[in-house]
Amino acid sequence: MKIAIGADHGGFSLKEAIKDFLSREGYEVIDLGTYSEESVDYPDFGYKVAVAVANGEAEKGIIMCGTGIGISISANKVKGVRAALVTNEYMAEMAAKHNDANILAMGGRVITPEIGKRLIKVWLSNSFEGGRHQRRVNKISLIEEGKLEERS
Ligand code: RB5
């Protein structure tokens, strides 16, 4: 599986730690930057990963900034992206099972690399449950199309 990863300077060291981890676990990693601790703007990297996932270049994405907030907001502006900001294992599990999140967002100044790796493992090892959750995810797509009100 191809996984695109991206971070700003606040998520850079977490990105480096999870990059090695993902490669060791057998995933093909597409690193879209940033490539140093130099200050950059998180929307640039949230957007790059979001586009890679939305276009199918990568099956999933992982994005990181200081808190995970700015980069997840940015990624979620791209059609077809469901980026979930997670801080614990329960959220990582539900992001897969209930939200069918195709991008995981984390805060490099919020969690340790060890917790980050654990959250990624939990997210990648759980699957979307469908059913009532499919209906809800479909409604997210309707919001993207500006058509939710027609249906509710
Ligand atoms: C950068 O200092 C910081 O604002 C950014 O990494 C992120 O936390 C924004 O949401």
Side-chain angles (χ1 to χ4, degrees):
M1 185 196 290
K2 281 189 192 169
I3 301 183
I5 63 172
D8 75 352
H9 53 289
F12 173 73
S13 61
L14 180 58
K15 175 171 74 67
E16 294 306 296
I18 67 136
K19 182 161 65 174
D20 295 342
F21 163 75
L22 288 169
S23 301
R24 281 198 307 273
E25 293 278 314
Y27 296 100
E28 190 178 331
V29 180
I30 305 169
D31 184 354
L32 297 173
T34 185
Y35 304 112
S36 77
E37 301 275 3
E38 193 183 325
S39 183
V40 289
D41 299 332
Y42 56 79
D44 296 330
F45 300 93
Y47 180 70
K48 280 183 187 184
V49 172
V51 167
V53 172
N55 289 348
E57 195 187 319
E59 203 171 313
K60 292 181 191 288
I62 302 173
I63 51 178
M64 294 137 282
C65 64
T67 57
I69 296 172
I71 204 160
S72 59
I73 292 172
S74 308
N76 276 318
K77 299 295 180 191
V78 174
K79 191 176 168 189
V81 162
R82 289 178 302 281
L85 173 57
V86 301
T87 58
N88 62 46
E89 290 188 27
Y90 177 73
M91 293 174 80
E93 185 182 337
M94 292 304 123
K97 285 183 171 176
H98 287 190
N99 310 113
D100 199 17
N102 47 13
I103 295 186
L104 198 72
M106 300 182 291
R109 297 174 183 157
V110 177
I111 58 166
T112 63
E114 285 319 303
I115 292 175
K117 290 173 202 170
R118 186 70 209 139
L119 300 186
I120 291 167
K121 255 196 163 164
V122 169
W123 175 56
L124 291 174
S125 61
N126 280 281
S127 306
F128 185 49
E129 285 179 349
R132 66 186 188 282
H133 305 296
Q134 184 65 64
R135 185 181 69 240
R136 293 161 186 166
V137 167
N138 290 346
K139 287 190 175 187
I140 296 173
S141 304
L142 287 173
I143 293 171
E144 289 176 336
E145 306 287 342
K147 292 180 180 162
L148 181 63
E149 280 158 14
E150 291 169 21
R151 294 278 299 270
S152 52

